[in-house]
Amino acid sequence: MKNVIFDVGRVLINWDINPVFMDLLGDQSSIDKFIDHVDFFSWNLSMDNGRTCADAVAGHSALFPKYAHVFEQFDKRWPETVPTSIKHSVDILARLKQNKIPTYAITNFSAEKWPIACEIYPFLGTSFIDTIVSGEVKLIKPGKEIFELLLSRNNLRAQDCIFIDDSQPNVDAANALGIDGLLFTSSEQFERDLIERGVL
């Protein structure tokens, strides 16, 4: 029997920062300049790696005072960035559980925002035998340590696991450990991959 390990963002729920930034910054060109100027994705990743949201907002507001209101509003309006679940993927997860396939999750996620996501999407808190949240354990994909933690914590063998993620570096890291890593491009492709492996 295989164990299926899920990423969460852009596999099970959508993550879209543009609506909030469009409201705050006005147009796509301004959004792109902001993201590049403040190195937004590294800043966001620091919270996924255990930095508190308050510290992250204060730190970047001091560095880029022109955008202090953007950082503050992004933090306050964060639920708007996870507007919908990916229904077909959630259906696949439900089918795996119905078929008694063990399911786990490894997600790069702020420790403070994870409980909010679980309130919005209760299935996130109930669908997995174990969930490794990067901000809680202060380990982050694609580092091998976060994968090794899930394996050791649950007494799993890498070769008995399938991992699905929308990031190629994360998939590559899983493959390097002997996990069968799959790149998520669509729910339909994910379903076909699982059927090919006899899991669905």
Side-chain angles (χ1 to χ4, degrees):
M1 179 177 289
K2 292 289 186 179
N3 307 280
V4 180
I5 306 167
F6 282 80
D7 176 34
V8 173
R10 295 180 172 159
V11 172
L12 290 167
I13 63 174
N14 285 302
W15 185 60
D16 185 2
I17 59 176
N18 263 25
V20 171
F21 285 158
M22 190 67 72
D23 190 29
L24 295 171
L25 298 169
D27 58 69
Q28 192 60 53
S29 176
S30 298
I31 293 171
D32 293 341
K33 289 176 183 176
F34 163 78
I35 286 173
D36 183 61
H37 181 60
V38 307
D39 196 7
F40 170 80
F41 291 107
S42 293
W43 175 74
N44 188 68
L45 197 64
S46 73
M47 290 177 276
D48 290 351
N49 205 15
R51 188 180 188 186
T52 68
C53 297
D55 183 62
V57 169
H60 252 44
S61 294
L63 287 173
F64 307 101
K66 173 184 176 182
Y67 292 116
H69 70 291
V70 179
F71 302 124
E72 291 168 3
Q73 287 300 307
F74 176 79
D75 181 40
K76 289 178 181 177
R77 296 174 59 179
W78 180 87
E80 296 175 42
T81 70
V82 286
T84 57
S85 64
I86 301 173
K87 185 178 183 305
H88 192 171
S89 292
V90 177
D91 289 344
I92 291 170
L93 172 60
R95 287 166 59 195
L96 291 171
K97 289 176 63 62
Q98 288 169 2
N99 291 344
K100 309 300 183 185
I101 302 296
T103 55
Y104 300 84
I106 299 176
T107 182
N108 284 354
F109 225 103
S110 157
E112 294 170 73
K113 297 298 191 269
W114 178 249
I116 299 172
C118 291
E119 287 181 13
I120 299 170
Y121 302 107
F123 76 88
L124 292 177
T126 61
S127 295
F128 307 110
I129 295 169
D130 190 16
T131 300
I132 305 289
V133 177
S134 64
E136 294 176 354
V137 299
K138 296 181 172 57
L139 299 171
I140 203 159
K141 296 178 293 184
K144 68 176 184 177
E145 293 82 5
I146 195 167
F147 295 96
E148 291 172 336
L149 178 61
L150 180 79
L151 297 176
S152 63
R153 205 155 85 173
N154 295 281
N155 196 29
L156 302 175
R157 299 189 308 166
Q159 61 266 37
D160 295 333
C161 297
I162 296 169
F163 172 68
I164 180 71
D165 199 294
D166 67 309
S167 165
Q168 188 65 59
N170 296 345
V171 172
D172 292 342
N175 283 325
L177 289 172
I179 297 168
D180 183 8
L182 305 176
L183 181 65
F184 183 88
T185 56
S186 70
S187 301
E188 292 76 15
Q189 182 59 55
F190 178 37
E191 184 176 33
R192 287 193 292 269
D193 288 339
L194 292 179
I195 289 171
E196 286 178 5
R197 286 158 175 77
V199 179
L200 283 179

